[in-house]
Amino acid sequence: MSKRPPFPVSPVRPSASDQALERAGFALGMQRPGEAERIAAEVLKANRGNVRAAQLLGQALLMQNRGAEAIAPLEKAARRSEDPAIETLLGAAFALTGRLDEALGQLRRATARRPPYPPAFLEHGIQLARAGRFEEAMAALESGLGFATDAVDMQRELAALHLKRNDRARARELLLSALRVAPDRPDLLSALAQVMLLDGEYAAAAERLRRVVALRPDDAVARAELGRCLLEMGQRDAGEASIRMATQERPELFGRAIMSLAISSRGRFFLRPSAAAKFLRS
């Protein structure tokens, strides 16, 4: 007796709202928060209980620094879902509007969820550090790294806190670990270069800063720091040229440039600000 072939199973087609939210998520990924906001708001208007739409709307508003508007949809979504991703966004929205105690309370709840959500630990650490609570910030970030050892953003933030305490060895260790995961991250390369510069390793710092400038040609701060390294290495013409270029790109770096020239063992000292300005513009 022959077996009857099974009936074909029709694939489940995503609903119109699901398709719209996919477009909103894509728009966020492409740094188009205005478009994502419009799409998510339309879906949420049709279905006030759509948690994903509320999350995307809140995220889009946060990307536009509109934290006050993000709070209401995120609060409703957080109550419905107890999702740590939404709670983390809500904490960021509270912080953006100056409601730090509420932000920290929300983020504590997010970090207590299981399974753990590493971005919650990162945001908690960042907000604690901004409040000047450095020991608590370091504890939050260390706790997060216990769940996600290769979380490069947490390693970067923790390295910055160690650097504030002048623990350059630990900062270097964290940054080197992060760079093994993300070798071309300009922010990590710049941070490591800063540690090397403080340790007097000018050639090694310059190598990292050259990579930063190659990756981000408009990074005037990295270009100015490269100039400082080159001065210390005895490459005076190249160092001064790099500092000049940095100040021409960003005039607000003028004071920093003068300081770099003055403190370098092979730098320059100007008696009059007008002479320094003339030199940097030449």
Side-chain angles (χ1 to χ4, degrees), residues 30-51:
M30 297 301 291
Q31 302 296 306
R32 300 199 301 264
E35 178 183 342
E37 175 194 352
R38 178 183 57 76
I39 297 170
E42 288 174 356
V43 174
L44 197 59
K45 184 178 180 181
N47 179 4
R48 294 294 179 186
N50 192 312
V51 171

Side-chain angles (χ1 to χ4, degrees), residues 6 53 57 100 116 125 129-130 142 184 246 252:
L57 176 60
L100 185 59
R130 287 177 180 169
E142 290 281 11
D184 291 324
E252 66 270 24

Side-chain angles (χ1 to χ4, degrees), residues 138 158-174 195 199:
M138 293 172 74
L158 188 55
L161 291 172
H162 279 290
L163 202 54
K164 284 182 182 293
R165 301 175 64 187
N166 202 32
D167 187 351
R168 299 197 292 271
R170 178 60 176 148
R172 183 190 293 253
E173 178 185 345
L174 286 161
V195 175
D199 283 338

Side-chain angles (χ1 to χ4, degrees), residues 211-225:
R211 287 175 62 191
V212 174
V213 171
L215 291 164
R216 290 196 307 211
D218 60 345
D219 191 330
V221 173
R223 197 177 293 281
E225 291 295 274

Side-chain angles (χ1 to χ4, degrees):
M1 182 177 177
S2 61
K3 293 182 180 181
R4 293 170 59 187
F7 290 105
V9 178
S10 300
V12 178
R13 299 189 60 171
S15 66
S17 61
D18 288 339
Q19 292 176 355
L21 293 177
E22 283 185 16
R23 294 198 304 274
F26 179 77
L28 281 179
M30 297 301 291
Q31 302 296 306
R32 300 199 301 264
E35 178 183 342
E37 175 194 352
R38 178 183 57 76
I39 297 170
E42 288 174 356
V43 174
L44 197 59
K45 184 178 180 181
N47 179 4
R48 294 294 179 186
N50 192 312
V51 171
R52 177 61 176 157
Q55 179 181 0
L56 288 170
L57 176 60
Q59 194 171 351
L61 292 168
L62 281 173
M63 287 177 69
Q64 299 173 77
N65 291 316
R66 293 159 59 190
E69 296 172 66
I71 289 173
L74 289 172
E75 275 188 315
K76 291 177 183 177
R79 283 196 297 270
R80 288 190 177 100
S81 67
E82 296 187 345
D83 184 335
I86 297 174
E87 291 174 332
T88 300
L89 290 171
L90 179 56
F94 280 136
L96 193 61
T97 55
R99 297 162 63 176
L100 185 59
D101 288 342
E102 291 168 279
L104 293 176
Q106 192 67 54
L107 292 166
R108 276 193 297 272
R109 283 190 287 276
T111 58
R113 301 290 183 197
R114 294 297 179 270
Y117 180 65
F121 293 88
L122 172 63
E123 188 66 28
H124 196 199
I126 288 172
Q127 296 304 336
L128 285 166
R130 287 177 180 169
R133 296 159 61 173
F134 300 123
E135 294 295 331
E136 293 175 71
M138 293 172 74
L141 293 168
E142 290 281 11
S143 180
L145 283 173
F147 297 113
T149 56
D150 60 349
V152 297
D153 290 323
M154 274 194 278
Q155 290 173 320
R156 179 200 63 212
E157 294 297 329
L158 188 55
L161 291 172
H162 279 290
L163 202 54
K164 284 182 182 293
R165 301 175 64 187
N166 202 32
D167 187 351
R168 299 197 292 271
R170 178 60 176 148
R172 183 190 293 253
E173 178 185 345
L174 286 161
L175 291 167
L176 287 171
S177 177
L179 281 163
R180 282 193 285 272
V181 177
D184 291 324
R185 277 272 297 262
D187 57 337
L188 299 176
L189 290 165
S190 289
L192 180 59
Q194 183 62 32
V195 175
M196 291 173 165
L197 202 158
L198 290 170
D199 283 338
E201 300 173 16
Y202 302 116
E207 179 185 344
R208 272 72 184 179
L209 290 165
R210 284 192 183 96
R211 287 175 62 191
V212 174
V213 171
L215 291 164
R216 290 196 307 211
D218 60 345
D219 191 330
V221 173
R223 197 177 293 281
E225 291 295 274
L226 174 59
R228 181 180 166 192
C229 291
L230 294 172
L231 286 175
E232 295 291 354
M233 293 162 61
Q235 300 178 30
R236 187 166 182 170
D237 290 344
E240 290 176 350
S242 187
I243 290 173
R244 277 198 193 96
M245 187 179 297
T247 56
Q248 288 164 7
E249 291 172 357
R250 286 183 55 183
E252 66 270 24
L253 295 177
F254 179 84
R256 184 172 184 167
I258 296 303
M259 182 64 68
S260 295
L261 289 168
I263 65 175
S264 171
S265 58
R266 297 176 176 83
R268 292 177 183 268
F269 181 75
F270 299 93
L271 294 175
R272 297 189 308 275
S274 58
K278 182 179 179 181
F279 172 79
L280 289 171
R281 292 177 186 138
S282 61

